[in-house]
Amino acid sequence: MTAYLKNLNEAQREGVINVEGPCMIIAGAGAGKTRVLTYRIVHLLKEKEIDPFHILALTFTNKAANEMRSRIEKVVGQEARNIWLGTFHSIFARILRTEADKLGYPPNFSIYDSNDSKSLIKAIVKEMNLDDKIYKPSVVLARISGAKNRLVSAHEYVNNPIYQADDESARKPEMGTIFMKYVERCFKAGAMDFDDLLFNTYKLFNQHVDVLYKYQERFKYILIDEFQDTNVAQYAILKDLAAIHKNVCVVGDDAQSIYAFRGADIRNILNFEKHYPNLQIIKLEQNYRSTKNIVNAANTIINHNKAQFKKAVWTSNEAGELIELIRATNDLEEGKLVASSIFENKVNHHLSNNDFVVLYRTNSQSRTIEEALRKMDIPYRIVGGMSFYQRKEIKDILAYLRFVVNHNDEEALKRIINLPKRGIGPTSVDKMVVAAFEHDIPIWEVMCNVEKFLSGSIANAVDEFVHMVKSFAVDLQQKDAYEVATHIARRSGLLKELHEDKTIEGLSRYENVQELLNGIKQFVVNTDNKDKSLGAFLQEIALVTSMDEASDEATEKITLMTIHATKGLEFEYVYIMGMEEDLFPSPLMLNSRADLEEERRLFYVAVTRAKRKVFCSYALNRYRFGRPKNCKPSRFIEEIDPAYLHSNEKYHRSTVSQKNTGHAAQLVNDVQKKQYKNLKPINKTLSDFQPTDTTHLKEGMKVEHPKFGVGTVTKLDTSGTEKKAKVDFINFGEKTLLLSFVKLRVLDALREERKT
């Protein structure tokens, strides 16, 4: 047996060696799908001797593509570099660069990110004298994006009575007109947005059969990762490309389809067999990641869904611990209890911060856990915050680079034309935009003949700007990306302006631009990048995803993130916060069975990220819109088989029922006062914490911890190499502490000293 097949189980081997004809691999969580996909490509290259140029492998993130290519290269060598392997958007952008002229685009077309698109939409709304509070750029862009992902063109949109009726009822009757103008302006600017990379590829193949045939013959073997996340456009392109050879392999898990809000259509995977009647279905059901209790609990969760492929996920791993529930009286206490649990588990099990993740349904839930972690000096990182390439100074310099490569990039031009200030204000820009519109020419052409449209100092400033940009463009033909970018950063005045700002923020911005230039330098010296031009670098940057950037953040921190962002990741300990009705499941996802089942899949994804332990926390009272609201546990908790749940009383800080949560704080205070009524107050000078010797610590003694406060020693364990103490703290419940590690102040000893 070939070496790379020896470490695979029977189902995995089937997925690797059966490469002819259509195949769907249903891979349960932690079942090793990446390994199967990787070795399937290796098998094509080594055993079937398929030319790597005939293999197309599509993923959803650059990280996944790079990891897959690296694994393949370790087995087959540099031949792996010739495989067409990358994200949908990067591969289709590569095709469109070659075939752009057939659609009327320049080969160096710009790729607009969401901010560029929103800026253009904002300008169109303003030009149409529409209310920008009704036609918000983000809302309009989402509508346009949804249409493109369903392969609905602007022309079809405005002529569809259903869309017109929807827009009328939403009080946005001009949505179709904005859509038309947006498409026209992008085309004039020689630009495509991310959705266009899919829409235009589909359009290219359908309008130019010869081009489609060329790529059908090139891609004789097609593999798709995370197939459950594909949208209508991606699936349509896949079917076109695979129409001749039908050697298409899709890998995914319907139970992890959680991106409907981005356009993902679970019907692609559920109905795949209808389009390929002779489809071979292989199920990967052995989980290598999680304990038995986690796997079994996850099975009981997902079994409540009706729309799914039935599979029996199992594991040979140890039984492990039960899923633990953490109940809090309110959301603030929930954050404290989760933070203290993380601290305790880290100490007791000698874990790293990297082993923990805190998940929540929405970003707004992070506040309480952030506050609690900060108070306990536990470092954390939020995945999904502002990325490096979204910072203003980075967007500014990238706009310069984009405009030098593509003089028709109107959004880039608007950003840089008066940056640094050169006397070309918004009024002058508007005049040039109007002139370009009236003469049906690009704004760059207006600027090159500015004396026909403007006069005086403004015309001179525009003329100087044009000459500067033209000088930059000359460098494109002679120098690599780093040399051009460095010259632009200096000659434009951006670096000088940032360097002269000596505030902390100014220095930070200057360092960020320097870091960008460092990145461009690394791009140039990377031997894998044959094209070292500025245009090639800009394409790579435009296709970076938020998940890819998240992987570059600092290590040794607790990770905080939404459940949607955690897909594909794994951690030793997983905390899922806010397990309450009207929070998770979201109230917006209760209108249909399909929506509710997607929410349940989201919970399934959260649970299956864990290797060793899962905690689910909920609050009996939570502030919403400035007011406290009584809450009840999520229905998803009730759906877990009780055999896999542990409701630990040490976390139940409330002694009242849900109906009496409004009096919970007072009752807890009463209990504390009664329990410690005989404990005399300590001198105020003792508030500066000073640890004392714990050698003679005994059960029943009162102690103080610098973070957990006052508590009572309930048990001492001296049986092992490390002496441990269980302490029941007033505000944090019972904790197990390593006395060689933790610092305590023995209050009983201090009281005896005062007596003497």
Side-chain angles (χ1 to χ4, degrees):
M1 184 183 291
T2 309
Y4 59 82
L5 295 176
K6 290 181 179 178
N7 294 326
L8 302 178
N9 63 39
E10 185 177 345
Q12 289 175 331
R13 278 195 294 272
E14 280 189 55
V16 168
I17 64 178
N18 295 316
V19 294
E20 301 298 327
C23 176
M24 180 165 64
I25 301 174
I26 302 297
K33 71 174 180 63
T34 304
R35 173 183 287 189
V36 172
L37 199 56
T38 299
Y39 286 159
R40 187 180 178 93
I41 296 174
V42 168
H43 192 74
L44 285 169
L45 295 172
K46 294 197 67 164
E47 299 302 319
K48 299 296 181 178
E49 298 183 346
I50 303 300
D51 189 326
F53 288 98
H54 290 322
I55 298 174
L56 171 65
L58 297 171
T59 68
F60 274 86
T61 67
N62 291 314
K63 179 183 177 183
N66 293 335
E67 181 182 340
M68 199 180 302
R69 190 185 299 276
S70 176
R71 290 189 186 187
I72 297 169
E73 194 169 334
K74 287 179 182 177
V75 182
V76 303
Q78 293 190 1
E79 276 292 278
R81 299 182 183 183
N82 297 324
I83 301 167
W84 282 64
L85 194 164
T87 65
F88 282 88
H89 292 93
S90 65
I91 293 295
F92 295 160
R94 182 177 171 184
I95 292 173
L96 288 170
R97 292 283 182 203
T98 304
E99 315 291 346
D101 62 304
K102 295 178 178 61
L103 296 177
Y105 285 88
N108 276 334
F109 62 81
S110 295
I111 300 177
Y112 279 0
D113 64 15
S114 61
N115 287 335
D116 297 320
S117 296
K118 289 174 187 176
S119 177
L120 177 55
I121 290 169
K122 186 176 181 180
I124 293 171
V125 168
K126 183 179 180 181
E127 291 164 13
M128 293 176 65
N129 294 316
L130 298 174
D131 188 342
D132 58 4
K133 292 183 176 63
I134 295 176
Y135 294 94
K136 294 180 180 178
S138 57
V139 174
V140 176
L141 181 60
R143 185 73 168 166
I144 292 173
S145 176
K148 288 181 180 178
N149 284 330
R150 294 190 302 274
L151 298 176
V152 177
S153 69
H155 180 74
E156 291 169 326
Y157 187 98
V158 296
N159 289 290
N160 187 309
I162 296 177
Y163 294 138
Q164 290 177 9
D166 287 345
D167 292 339
E168 288 283 355
S169 63
R171 294 175 49 245
K172 298 179 178 65
E174 298 297 328
M175 188 73 79
T177 305
I178 298 172
F179 190 178
M180 288 285 287
K181 289 181 177 291
Y182 173 76
V183 170
E184 291 169 0
R185 293 279 282 274
C186 284
F187 184 76
K188 278 186 180 180
M192 298 186 197
D193 61 22
F194 263 41
D195 300 313
D196 285 328
L197 297 178
L198 304 179
F199 184 88
N200 285 338
T201 300
Y202 177 80
K203 182 178 175 181
L204 172 71
F205 289 161
N206 278 265
Q207 292 183 355
H208 301 273
V209 180
D210 56 327
V211 176
L212 172 61
Y213 181 73
K214 178 174 76 172
Y215 288 100
Q216 286 173 332
E217 284 301 313
R218 175 170 294 173
F219 304 136
K220 295 180 179 178
Y221 292 84
I222 301 174
L223 304 95
I224 313 290
D225 190 18
E226 304 287 7
F227 185 62
Q228 76 280 348
D229 295 335
T230 55
N231 59 31
V232 171
Q234 289 162 331
Y235 189 29
I237 296 169
L238 167 65
K239 285 195 295 183
D240 285 344
L241 287 173
I244 294 179
H245 299 288
K246 292 185 171 58
N247 294 322
V248 56
C249 174
V250 299
V251 182
D253 182 7
D254 57 293
Q256 297 185 62
S257 179
I258 59 174
Y259 295 127
F261 68 97
R262 294 182 187 169
D265 193 335
I266 193 174
R267 292 174 297 182
N268 290 349
I269 191 169
L270 294 178
N271 299 333
F272 193 64
E273 189 173 9
K274 294 180 181 178
H275 298 116
Y276 296 93
N278 61 334
L279 178 70
Q280 180 181 17
I281 299 177
I282 299 170
K283 295 182 180 180
L284 306 182
E285 297 174 309
Q286 183 175 359
N287 180 297
Y288 291 92
R289 175 189 299 153
S290 308
T291 64
K292 283 187 174 69
N293 279 318
I294 292 174
V295 169
N296 293 337
N299 286 340
T300 67
I301 293 165
I302 204 61
N303 283 342
H304 285 81
N305 274 8
K306 291 186 176 181
Q308 63 167 306
F309 282 107
K310 289 292 183 181
K311 51 185 177 294
V313 180
W314 61 279
T315 184
S316 60
N317 293 339
E318 64 179 357
E321 297 184 67
L322 300 176
I323 292 179
E324 191 155 320
L325 296 183
I326 300 177
R327 184 180 70 186
T329 55
N330 54 54
D331 49 347
L332 189 62
E333 185 186 56
E334 182 189 26
K336 293 178 181 178
L337 294 177
V338 169
S340 63
S341 175
I342 291 173
F343 181 82
E344 178 182 347
N345 282 301
K346 179 184 175 183
V347 172
N348 289 348
H349 301 292
H350 307 287
L351 297 171
S352 160
N353 286 331
N354 291 334
D355 294 325
F356 296 88
V357 67
V358 179
L359 303 177
Y360 32 77
R361 180 63 179 82
T362 63
N363 275 310
S364 61
Q365 291 174 248
S366 71
R367 181 183 62 85
T368 57
I369 184 63
E370 284 189 73
E371 289 180 1
L373 291 173
R374 280 199 299 266
K375 288 177 181 177
M376 295 183 68
D377 295 326
I378 299 176
Y380 66 88
R381 62 180 169 204
I382 297 181
V383 174
M386 182 174 287
S387 70
F388 179 80
Y389 292 104
Q390 294 301 321
R391 294 168 187 168
K392 181 185 181 302
E393 62 276 11
I394 301 302
K395 296 281 284 184
D396 291 342
I397 190 67
L398 286 178
Y400 263 99
L401 305 185
R402 279 171 38 191
F403 190 72
V404 170
V405 170
N406 175 13
H407 295 341
N408 292 330
D409 191 336
E410 185 176 323
E411 293 308 304
L413 172 63
K414 289 178 180 177
R415 190 177 189 99
I416 67 172
I417 193 168
N418 201 37
L419 188 72
K421 292 185 185 299
R422 51 176 61 91
I424 309 174
T427 302
S428 301
V429 175
D430 288 343
K431 287 181 181 178
M432 290 188 288
V433 169
V434 170
F437 180 77
E438 290 176 347
H439 293 79
D440 197 24
I441 58 176
I443 190 173
W444 175 249
E445 194 171 330
V446 171
M447 295 174 67
C448 290
N449 299 278
V450 68
E451 67 279 358
K452 297 180 181 179
F453 307 98
L454 297 173
S455 60
S457 60
I458 296 176
N460 292 334
V462 172
D463 190 57
E464 288 179 12
F465 177 82
V466 168
H467 279 87
M468 179 180 71
V469 171
K470 286 182 176 179
S471 70
F472 294 156
V474 172
D475 289 343
L476 288 176
Q477 313 302 322
Q478 305 167 351
K479 300 177 180 179
D480 62 38
Y482 176 73
E483 293 173 300
V484 176
T486 303
H487 179 58
I488 291 173
R490 291 172 178 165
R491 174 73 175 80
S492 67
L494 278 182
L495 264 185
K496 181 175 183 290
E497 184 175 77
L498 291 171
H499 188 262
E500 289 175 350
D501 183 357
K502 298 303 181 182
T503 65
I504 296 175
E505 294 79 9
L507 292 173
S508 176
R509 287 192 287 266
Y510 179 77
E511 290 170 357
N512 287 337
V513 172
Q514 291 292 354
E515 185 58 28
L516 173 65
L517 296 176
N518 293 340
I520 300 176
K521 181 66 174 180
Q522 291 172 339
F523 170 83
V524 169
V525 300
N526 187 340
T527 55
D528 290 343
N529 296 323
K530 297 177 183 177
D531 185 354
K532 303 181 185 302
S533 69
L534 185 58
F537 171 78
L538 289 174
Q539 176 173 315
E540 179 170 288
I541 292 304
L543 297 172
V544 170
T545 66
S546 59
M547 184 56 70
D548 295 325
E549 293 174 355
S551 65
D552 294 331
E553 293 191 11
T555 57
E556 273 300 299
K557 292 182 179 180
I558 307 295
T559 301
L560 311 183
M561 63 200 313
T562 64
I563 304 172
H564 281 103
T566 194
K567 190 160 166 296
L569 304 178
E570 58 183 35
F571 299 85
E572 296 290 328
Y573 281 67
V574 170
Y575 290 78
I576 310 169
M577 294 183 66
M579 291 299 304
E580 301 146 29
E581 286 293 298
D582 289 335
L583 189 55
F584 193 21
S586 165
L588 300 177
M589 299 294 282
L590 299 177
N591 297 320
S592 68
R593 178 176 295 279
D595 287 344
L596 180 59
E597 292 198 350
E598 171 138 341
E599 284 290 278
R600 188 176 287 113
R601 291 194 295 270
L602 190 60
F603 184 43
Y604 174 84
V605 166
V607 170
T608 55
R609 298 310 93 200
K611 295 181 180 180
R612 291 169 58 179
K613 185 76 181 277
V614 175
F615 295 80
C616 293
S617 68
Y618 63 93
L620 299 176
N621 189 282
R622 184 178 297 274
Y623 268 85
R624 304 292 294 273
F625 306 106
R627 294 184 177 181
K629 176 187 176 183
N630 290 341
C631 308
K632 60 180 179 179
S634 168
R635 69 187 72 187
F636 296 150
I637 292 178
E638 297 175 7
E639 292 175 354
I640 302 174
D641 189 319
Y644 309 117
L645 278 177
H646 175 50
S647 183
N648 196 328
E649 286 300 323
K650 73 178 179 178
Y651 290 114
H652 291 190
R653 305 311 308 146
S654 173
T655 58
V656 294
S657 67
Q658 184 179 337
K659 293 181 181 179
N660 295 322
T661 52
H663 303 290
Q666 183 60 46
L667 288 175
V668 170
N669 286 336
D670 291 344
V671 170
Q672 292 172 0
K673 289 177 182 177
K674 183 177 179 181
Q675 183 176 359
Y676 296 103
K677 64 181 180 179
N678 295 322
L679 184 63
K680 295 180 180 179
I682 301 172
N683 292 336
K684 197 170 183 179
T685 55
L686 294 176
S687 61
D688 295 329
F689 183 84
Q690 292 293 333
T692 56
D693 183 17
T694 57
T695 306
H696 303 293
L697 192 65
K698 297 178 182 178
E699 293 180 6
M701 282 188 169
K702 301 293 185 295
V703 295
E704 185 180 16
H705 184 276
K707 297 186 185 298
F708 298 144
V710 175
T712 304
V713 179
T714 59
K715 185 178 180 181
L716 287 174
D717 183 2
T718 58
S719 58
T721 56
E722 293 281 3
K723 186 176 181 181
K724 300 178 183 178
K726 281 191 176 181
V727 182
D728 187 11
F729 291 100
I730 296 174
N731 293 320
F732 288 89
E734 195 171 69
K735 308 291 178 189
T736 301
L737 307 174
L738 293 175
L739 295 181
S740 61
F741 177 87
V742 76
K743 302 298 183 184
L744 294 173
R745 177 164 59 174
V746 183
L747 300 184
D748 294 71
L750 294 171
R751 189 164 53 189
E752 291 300 320
E753 287 178 12
R754 288 199 304 277
K755 286 181 180 180
T756 59

